[in-house]
Every structure is written in C-alpha cells, then in structure tokens.
Amino acid sequence: MKQAKRAEWAKLDNASKIFPATCNNKDTKVFRIACELHEPVDAAFLQEALNTTIEHFPLFKAVLRKGVFWYYFQQSDIPPLVDSESTPVCAPIYINGRRNLLFRVSYFHNRINLEVFHALSDGTGAAWFLKTLIHHYLCLRHKETFVSNPVNLNYRASVSEQMADSFRRYFVGNELDIMRFINKDSHAKRQPRVFHLRGSKLEENRMKVIEGTMSTQAVLNIAHQYDTTLSVFFTALFLYSIYQIMPVREQQRRIVLSVPINLRKYFVSVTARNFFSTMNIAYDFRGSKIELIDVIKSVKAQFQRELTEEKLHAHLNQLMSIEKNILARIVPLPIKNYALRVASSIRDKGITGSISHVGEITLPSEFKPFIRQFSICSSSKGPHITTCSYNDRYLLTFSSPFQETELQRTFFNLLAERGVDIEITSNLT
C-alpha cells in the first residue's frame, strides 16, 4: 500500500507577510527583472534551461496557501512553462483562491523576462534565479562554445541556505510591548504633510514604464563630482525632480522617498527569500532657494545615519518582535489582513515615491558576448525608480500608474544637463 506524499510547507518571512494582504489589480506587488541578449531568444532552449534552474531553487516551486493565522508556502508539482510575452508589465500573479506558481518566465525578441510575486523573493533573490536561468540557457544555446569550456555558476548556495529565513536567524529581541510601541509612535514629532503626485490613471491599471540607459562610468563620474555614491546621487536627483514640478501652493509639504535596504550587505546571508528593510529619505524644500547640492548633502547624511549596524539591528528586531507578539500570533488571518491593509494605507500616505537600487549584476566574463543588458521595474501606486547595471550599461527605470510624464522628463533633463547621454525607451506611446 502506497503512502500519500506529505506536502512540504514553509512560513512566509517577515517582509513577505504584507504582500498577499495588500496586493490588488492597482498594485500587484509584482516586479520584473529582464535580460536582453544580442540574439533572438530560442523558446525550446529557454524551457529546457528553466526545467534545470527550478531544481536549484525549490522555493520557486511553491504555491501560496491560506492558514488559520498566516499564509504559508506549499511545495507543488506544477511545471513552470515559458511563454511569449502576452501580458502587461507586472500583471497579477497571485490571485486569491487560484493555485499557481508565484513567478512567470516569458520572452520577447531578444529579451527574457522573469516576473515574481514579491512574497516569494526580493530583487537580489530573483536576480540569482535569473542569472542561473541565463547561465543554463546560454550553455544550451551555445553548446559548441561551452561544452569544452564549462562555466561555473556564480550562485552556489545550498538549498537550506536559499530557503533560510534570515529575519529569524538574526532576531535577538523579545516580544514587543505593543502599547509601549503605540504610545511612543503617538508622541513622535509632528511633521508637515507629505506631498503626493496626482495624475490621470492609465486604462486597465496598466503601468507606464520609461527606461533610461546610460554609461555606468559616466554617471559614476557625476556622482564622484558630488563626492557621493550612485545611490545617494539618484535618490537626491529624484527628490529634486519632484520639487521642480511641485505646485507652488504645495511646496510647504515634505517629499519622502521609501528606499529598500538589501540586508545581505550587512548580515551574512545568501537566502533567495526576502531579506530587506526600508528607510525613508525626506527633504523639506520650504525656505530659501535650494540647489541639488544641498539635497545631496542632506541625503548623504541621512544614508549615513540610517545605514549603521545599530540602526539596522534595531529595525530588524522591531519588525520581528511585532510578528512574535502573542497577540499578533493568535489573531485570525482575516483580521490580520485587515490590519495590514490599514497599516499599508497609513504608510503610503507618508510616502511620495520609491527608489530601489539593485546594484551591479555580474555573470562570468565568458557570457559577455551574448548579453547586452539587464533591467528591473516594479508595480507601483506612485512614481517608482529601480536601477541596476551590467558592464557599462546602467538602466534606470521609472514605473508609474499615471499618463503624465513631466516628472520623468524633468529627471532625465537634469541628468542630461550634467553631460550624460541617455537612451530613452518606453512601453507605451
């Protein structure tokens, strides 16, 4: 008599819990990371490469299920299938009640797209998956080149390392006294209201995606002229661009950007799951005439203040202690979902936009002749910038639900005025 196979499951990590509760057609919580090759994509080789890649990443075989108190991942035997691109950018992946994988792989001419529901992984984890996929694809597509000259994978984490919940590994705190937390929060210094961009929404909740491609070295030179990093420079330029288009009557409001922090840079981890935090970077443009250099100095100081070991540990412990609080654990899932949606709505009111710096994407040098560039973008309810680079091609992508493009035009004009040649492309006319 055969025994029924026991389904394997895993808890969602701390950062993942909010995504199933807050995703909808207006903000799908899906992001895309894409690789553009120098040749058309062969679908058969891509499918074969995906079949091999998925065996390296068992987490990506999971479907999302509802429990009494929390969502959880359950391993599935659903085969991943590649398809020609046929859906809008970052279209919904997780749909309540539907049992499906939490990612999709598609192709369009020379481009391979990996789209991921954010509960499954973050930008770094997805980049590792895509790089492994590209590795296998190119080795299959160009056997004549690589069969006698094999190339090693540059992501060789074990399954247990990939599946690790690094939030739990580094949590050293105790249960949070929620009343003390609420009381502390209510006594926070009252700040001016936050500015929000408004505009005409695109039809069918589509996103306008505008990519600016430029030389990595050219923008590095600009950032170094200001004695800062690319992350600080582009965050400041984003703030300054929003200020340039603010209605005068609203210039008494602060501009606040949400900036994700890849915690793997500060805590040893090669998990393919979510392992990030966020910090808010703000600037108050009230007062005398303000120049970009003033904003850069402020943003640089805020980065230095927030990105300390002490601050990151404190934030990680605060997030985990809320999750571990006995009250939070025993509340049924529908009530948790409602509370998370309320918390997300309050958080959104305090943010003007977001900017995510994924950083440099690297692959073995043997693949250089075949790969042109990488890009990344994300669903968003407001203006959102994502950046990444490969070799000397730096991709900066605006995603926005609005038809208007004044912000994007202002941003790229400010960059061009500093001597950077930019190639602009968009998904919509």
Side-chain angles (χ1 to χ4, degrees), residues 16 24 80 89 139 150 155 177 205 237 261 277 280 326 364 370 393:
S16 299
N24 53 47
V89 179
C139 289
Y155 178 63
D177 181 341
N205 297 315
L237 191 67
I261 307 164
S277 180
N280 285 350
I326 186 66
F370 307 101
R393 291 184 71 81

Side-chain angles (χ1 to χ4, degrees), residues 7-27:
E8 296 181 28
W9 63 278
K11 294 179 179 178
L12 273 64
D13 58 69
N14 183 276
S16 299
K17 288 183 165 59
I18 197 165
F19 297 119
T22 57
C23 69
N24 53 47
N25 287 335
K26 294 180 181 178
D27 186 7

Side-chain angles (χ1 to χ4, degrees), residues 85-137:
E85 185 175 345
S86 59
T87 57
V89 179
C90 298
I93 291 181
Y94 172 69
I95 296 172
N96 189 12
R98 185 181 297 178
R99 186 174 180 271
N100 59 277
L101 297 177
L102 301 172
F103 73 99
R104 67 169 73 93
V105 173
S106 63
Y107 60 92
F108 180 75
H109 295 311
N110 294 13
R111 192 178 65 229
I112 296 172
N113 309 309
L114 169 65
E115 293 186 323
V116 179
F117 181 50
H118 216 323
L120 185 68
S121 185
D122 58 15
T124 302
W128 283 333
F129 185 95
L130 181 63
K131 289 194 295 184
T132 305
L133 178 67
I134 299 299
H135 175 106
H136 289 302
Y137 174 78

Side-chain angles (χ1 to χ4, degrees), residues 264-317:
R264 298 172 187 82
K265 293 182 179 178
Y266 306 91
F267 302 91
V268 177
S269 172
V270 287
T271 182
R273 303 175 69 176
N274 282 295
F275 191 41
F276 71 95
S277 180
T278 59
M279 59 181 175
N280 285 350
I281 301 297
Y283 199 90
D284 186 344
F285 285 91
R286 291 179 297 176
S288 57
K289 182 174 173 57
I290 294 165
E291 302 293 341
L292 176 60
I293 184 65
D294 303 315
V295 187
I296 290 174
K297 288 178 180 175
S298 171
V299 170
K300 185 177 179 181
Q302 292 180 68
F303 267 60
Q304 289 173 341
R305 191 164 61 242
E306 294 298 321
L307 298 179
T308 64
E309 189 174 338
E310 183 183 8
K311 276 266 188 179
L312 293 171
H313 263 295
H315 194 209
L316 187 149
N317 286 335

Side-chain angles (χ1 to χ4, degrees), residues 45 47 70 74 95 112 120 173 204 231 261 277 343 351 389 413:
F45 283 126
Q47 181 64 61
W70 292 109
Q74 185 181 60
I95 296 172
I112 296 172
L120 185 68
E204 300 174 342
S231 299
I261 307 164
S277 180
I351 293 172
S389 68
N413 282 342

